[in-house]
């Protein structure tokens, strides 16, 4: 019997599907941001699922720097490296803003090599 149909695996599989759905929804925020929904993406940065936080950080690349940069700078302290990577990549889209460059400068000392490499692109 497939793992998805056994009682012991049903809950973890369903939870994973819900996380993936929320992550997909967060990625769709990029389209919505053009219509002024940046506050929704900022709020999604507090979601318990790292996939949602990463999607929200990615979506903030389309927001105005005034809204996105402070939230993305905070996301650089996220416990999950994928969220920090998404935040750095979005900050690169806002690198004309002084605050974004300052945040990227702090990311070059991140414990994750990928985050450091992405942040180095700003130089």
């Amino acid at each position: 019997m497939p793992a998805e149909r056994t009682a012991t695996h049903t809950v973890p599989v369903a939870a994973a599907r819900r996380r993936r759905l929320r992550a997909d929804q967060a990625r769709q925020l990029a389209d919505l941001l053009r219509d002024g929904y940046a506050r929704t993406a900022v709020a999604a940065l507090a979601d318990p699922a790292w996939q949602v936080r990463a999607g929200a950080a990615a979506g903030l690349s389309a927001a105005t720097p005034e809204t996105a940069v402070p939230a993305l700078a905070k996301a650089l302290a996220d416990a999950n490296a994928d969220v920090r990577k998404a935040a750095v990549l979005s900050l690169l889209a806002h690198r004309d803003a002084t605050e974004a460059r300052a945040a990227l400068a702090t990311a070059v000392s991140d414990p994750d090599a990928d985050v450091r490499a992405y942040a180095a692109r700003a130089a």
Side-chain angles (χ1 to χ4, degrees):
M1 183 177 301
E4 293 179 2
R5 295 183 185 198
T6 63
T8 58
H9 295 296
T10 302
V11 173
V13 169
R17 286 183 180 154
R18 284 192 303 275
R19 282 192 303 272
R20 283 193 303 270
L21 175 63
R22 291 193 339 255
D24 289 343
Q25 291 168 339
R27 280 189 286 278
Q28 292 170 5
L29 284 173
D31 293 333
L32 296 174
L33 288 171
R34 286 183 228 117
D35 297 325
Y37 289 100
R39 287 186 298 257
T40 304
V42 171
L45 289 172
D47 194 274
W50 70 265
Q51 298 93 333
V52 175
R53 296 191 310 273
L60 283 169
S61 65
T64 63
E66 296 79 20
T67 301
V69 172
L72 291 168
K74 287 181 188 175
L76 292 177
D78 196 280
N80 186 281
D82 289 323
V83 175
R84 297 192 309 273
K85 288 178 210 175
V88 166
L89 290 172
S90 287
L91 283 166
L92 288 172
H94 298 293
R95 66 179 146 217
D96 291 340
T98 304
E99 298 83 6
R101 287 192 304 276
L104 288 164
T106 66
V108 296
S109 62
D110 191 272
D112 184 82
D114 288 338
V115 174
R116 291 192 306 269
Y118 293 148
R121 290 183 185 179

